[in-house]
């Protein structure tokens, strides 16, 4: 059963999803689980874009889900969290981002239900895996016209550039520092994401690295005048999205 990100219209411009509706909708999920079970499903897996905290709460309220394999907050969870609910237990896990891990879940199914499980957060060492030749050829063909532009070296980093925790990572800080310098502004805000490849110390920062970190369809850079009250409201709103005591009010992202 699939669960889309509940806050798509909040996190994205409404015109992109003008005719779609979204939400957490526990009752709809319970109905979908019950329908699957009534049709003979021995195992019910939920593929979720809720985020880890939201999945944990949903697992406590909806019965009949054996495992939730989730995304959105990009947490590398090395062992599932076992959540008890009125109907039994649900495994909840996330497998990071950017293809760094593969979540591998093996289930032992006996007498029409899950008797045991084994889970591995499997690291993906892409340099050691042979690429699919047809797919690699397609990627090379698409990239060919832009190779020179993507490979342009802009700078060399002194520290690891990354996006990871709930508070700003070093790549976020680099983006904000660049905005302040170029736009002559005393303060800069950048959307809080938890994706993007890391750059190691001494490694050149290429245009492709910057594009990788800023690859959103609706991004614009503007220079505005704000009151202290507006800045305080923005920061508190972001903090509420991240750390609200009720997970169903959390949207994910970074501060």
């Amino acid at each position: 059963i699939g669960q889309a990100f509940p806050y798509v219209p909040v996190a994205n411009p409404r015109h992109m999803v003008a005719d779609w509706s979204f939400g957490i909708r526990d009752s709809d999920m319970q109905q979908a689980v019950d329908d699957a079970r009534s049709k003979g499903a021995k195992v019910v897996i939920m593929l979720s874009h809720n985020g880890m905290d939201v999945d944990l709460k949903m697992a406590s309220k909806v019965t009949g889900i054996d495992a939730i394999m989730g995304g959105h907050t990009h947490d590398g969870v090395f062992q599932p969290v076992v959540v008890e609910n009125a109907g039994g237990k649900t495994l909840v896990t996330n497998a990071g981002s950017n293809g760094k891990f593969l979540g591998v879940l093996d289930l032992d199914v006996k007498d029409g239900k899950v008797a045991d499980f084994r889970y591995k957060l499997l690291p993906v060492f892409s340099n050691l895996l042979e690429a699919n030749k047809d797919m690699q050829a397609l990627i090379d063909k698409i990239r060919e016209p832009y190779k020179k532009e993507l490979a342009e070296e802009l700078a060399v980093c002194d520290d690891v550039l990354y996006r990871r925790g709930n508070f700003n990572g070093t790549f976020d800080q680099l983006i904000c520092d660049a905005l302040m310098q170029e736009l002559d502004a005393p303060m800069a805000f950048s959307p809080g994401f938890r994706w993007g490849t890391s750059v190691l110390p001494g490694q050149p920062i290429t245009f492709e690295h910057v594009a990788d970190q800023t690859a959103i369809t609706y991004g614009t850079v503007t220079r505005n005048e704000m009151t202290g009250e507006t800045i305080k409201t923005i920061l508190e709103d972001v903090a509420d999205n991240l750390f609200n005591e009720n997970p169903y009010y959390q949207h994910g992202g970074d501060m």
Side-chain angles (χ1 to χ4, degrees):
I1 299 171
Q3 165 76 39
F5 178 46
Y7 298 107
V8 169
V10 177
N12 301 270
R14 183 70 212 186
H15 70 82
M16 289 181 160
V17 286
D19 301 321
W20 289 51
S21 63
F22 297 83
I24 296 175
R25 301 178 182 171
D26 290 334
S27 59
D28 288 359
M29 180 58 68
Q30 186 66 69
Q31 185 64 52
V33 174
D34 294 345
D35 288 347
R37 293 285 184 187
S38 69
K39 293 174 182 175
K42 295 182 175 66
V43 177
V44 175
I45 305 292
M46 174 179 159
L47 300 181
S48 161
H49 205 103
N50 280 331
M52 188 68 183
D53 284 349
V54 177
D55 284 338
L56 289 170
K57 181 171 180 178
M58 179 172 277
S60 72
K61 299 183 68 173
V62 178
T63 62
I65 301 174
D66 292 296
I68 299 177
M69 304 185 81
H72 179 58
T73 44
H74 302 164
D75 301 289
V77 181
F78 72 97
Q79 281 295 312
V81 178
V82 180
V83 178
E84 296 188 9
N85 53 54
K89 297 179 180 179
T90 299
L91 309 173
V92 181
T93 185
N94 268 217
S97 72
N98 288 77
K100 295 173 183 175
F101 300 100
L102 187 67
V104 183
L105 178 64
D106 293 304
L107 298 173
D108 182 13
V109 182
K110 294 179 180 178
D111 301 323
K113 62 181 181 180
V114 174
D116 200 0
F117 75 92
R118 183 171 60 210
Y119 181 83
K120 287 184 179 179
L121 191 63
L122 191 67
V124 177
F125 297 102
S126 58
N127 292 345
L128 304 180
L129 299 174
E130 186 176 349
N132 178 283
K133 292 180 181 178
D134 292 338
M135 181 58 72
Q136 188 62 56
L138 176 62
I139 292 171
D140 291 342
K141 179 182 177 181
I142 293 171
R143 286 175 60 91
E144 183 61 35
Y146 313 103
K147 280 179 66 174
K148 184 177 179 181
E149 181 181 9
L150 292 171
E152 180 186 359
E153 296 183 5
L154 307 176
V156 176
C157 57
D158 299 321
D159 302 309
V160 179
L161 297 181
Y162 66 90
R163 275 184 169 147
R164 191 54 219 111
N166 281 125
F167 295 100
N168 68 322
T170 52
F171 223 127
D172 292 297
Q173 190 61 54
L174 179 64
I175 290 170
C176 287
D177 286 347
L179 290 172
M180 289 187 286
Q181 181 174 319
E182 290 299 307
L183 299 178
D184 188 26
M187 187 174 292
F189 296 103
S190 177
F193 300 118
R194 301 183 76 175
W195 45 253
T197 50
S198 301
V199 184
L200 300 178
Q203 184 178 351
I205 305 170
T206 65
F207 178 79
E208 183 169 7
H209 286 132
V210 176
D212 181 34
Q213 298 288 339
T214 56
I216 53 176
T217 54
Y218 52 87
T220 56
V221 174
T222 62
R223 185 175 186 270
N224 312 285
E225 287 191 0
M226 294 182 181
T227 64
E229 183 180 17
T230 299
I231 293 170
K232 179 173 181 285
T233 299
I234 291 171
L235 291 174
E236 289 191 345
D237 187 45
V238 174
D240 185 61
N241 286 345
L242 286 171
F243 305 116
N244 194 292
E245 291 182 358
N246 184 346
Y248 278 14
Y249 292 122
Q250 295 178 10
H251 296 181
D254 285 344
M255 184 79 177

